[in-house]
Amino acid sequence: MRSEDGGKPDAAVVRDALGVGVAVGLSGFAFGVTSAGSGLTLLQTCALSLLVFTGASQFALVGALAGGGNPFTAAAGAFFLGVRNAFYGLRLSQLLALPRAVRPFAAQWVIDETTAVALAQPTRRSVRIGFTVTGLTLYVLWNLTTLLGALGADAIGDTDAWGLDAAGPAVFLALLAPMLKTTMERVVAGLAVVLGLGLLPVLPAGVPVLVAALAAPAVLWAEGRRRARTGPAEDDDTVGEGR
């Protein structure tokens, strides 16, 4: 069925949304194993997926705790990673135009994947379908696989030996890489990586990710200084299409 305003066929939107939801939802298993291996209980692990439901923040939290980081520092790092979802919400609220009574429930599903699928749609109908199918599929699978991973952590044993501790960062990088479309975005990402990895040996667990967040304002400040001196170049590719 094609939407009445000539947009993308509903079946195509559902297919794309299911693909994203299933692919990312299965990585909840790695989170469940990693979280349990970090010392969190089954209840704590499942509560994180049910209530927080943002993979990057969840992995950052349990990773910092596993490394011996202070719980408050670990929580701060997870919080700052999750702040981006608030900015996604500002854009999605315009595209979805949901009734007020539904918005608090929809806010739980405002994450990288649902935003990416929704923004790729040409009409409001397809935006709503893509957001809903992605959010529902991912929420159910992520929580189910989190439970299975936490239950199976003892059977798997050492998560480091299996490499599951790297699954979270790998998934996050796979989602982030296609979004780096401009020179400025790539410079920010590169500087954040250098800061985060370079400070790992000298700062407590959880602190490097907080320092890495300074990459964005640092690059923006430097770019502003450059433009003030030389003026914006017509062929400058640092300004790309907003998402």
Side-chain angles (χ1 to χ4, degrees):
M1 174 182 177
R2 182 175 292 275
S3 59
E4 296 177 357
D5 47 9
K8 196 173 181 180
D10 293 350
V13 179
V14 171
R15 182 186 64 243
D16 294 344
L18 284 174
V20 172
V22 171
V24 180
L26 294 176
S27 64
F29 182 82
F31 171 73
V33 173
T34 304
S35 180
S38 301
L40 273 68
T41 66
L42 176 65
L43 180 60
Q44 290 170 331
T45 297
C46 292
L48 277 174
S49 284
L50 285 167
L51 302 177
V52 178
F53 188 54
T54 173
S57 295
Q58 292 177 229
F59 274 108
L61 177 63
V62 300
L65 292 176
N70 183 287
F72 294 103
T73 303
F79 170 79
F80 281 113
L81 277 175
V83 164
R84 71 192 187 283
N85 294 339
F87 295 100
Y88 294 161
L90 294 175
R91 178 59 176 150
L92 288 178
S93 65
Q94 300 173 346
L95 295 176
L96 293 168
L98 297 173
R100 287 184 179 273
V102 179
R103 292 176 189 174
F105 302 98
Q108 177 72 348
W109 290 355
V110 176
I111 53 176
D112 297 316
E113 295 80 12
T114 55
T115 301
V117 172
L119 292 181
Q121 307 310 319
T123 66
R124 175 162 293 164
R125 175 187 175 88
S126 57
V127 166
R128 288 178 170 177
I129 293 174
F131 177 85
T132 303
V133 174
T134 306
L136 179 61
T137 305
L138 186 48
Y139 190 77
V140 171
L141 272 180
W142 180 266
N143 281 282
L144 177 60
T145 54
T146 292
L147 174 63
L148 294 176
L151 289 173
D154 289 338
I156 290 176
D158 184 9
T159 57
D160 291 344
W162 288 83
L164 291 176
D165 56 320
V171 170
F172 186 66
L173 288 176
L175 292 170
L176 176 64
M179 300 181 185
L180 303 178
K181 298 181 180 296
T182 68
T183 299
M184 183 182 294
E185 290 168 350
R186 296 187 189 105
V187 171
V188 170
L191 180 58
V193 169
V194 170
L195 287 173
L197 294 180
L199 295 173
L200 274 177
V202 296
L203 292 179
V207 175
V209 70
L210 299 180
V211 178
L214 298 176
V219 172
L220 289 173
W221 176 82
E223 178 65 13
R225 295 273 295 181
R226 185 189 70 81
R227 287 177 178 272
R229 291 196 306 269
T230 64
E234 290 184 1
D235 59 348
D236 189 354
D237 69 343
T238 59
V239 179
E241 295 183 0
R243 290 182 67 87

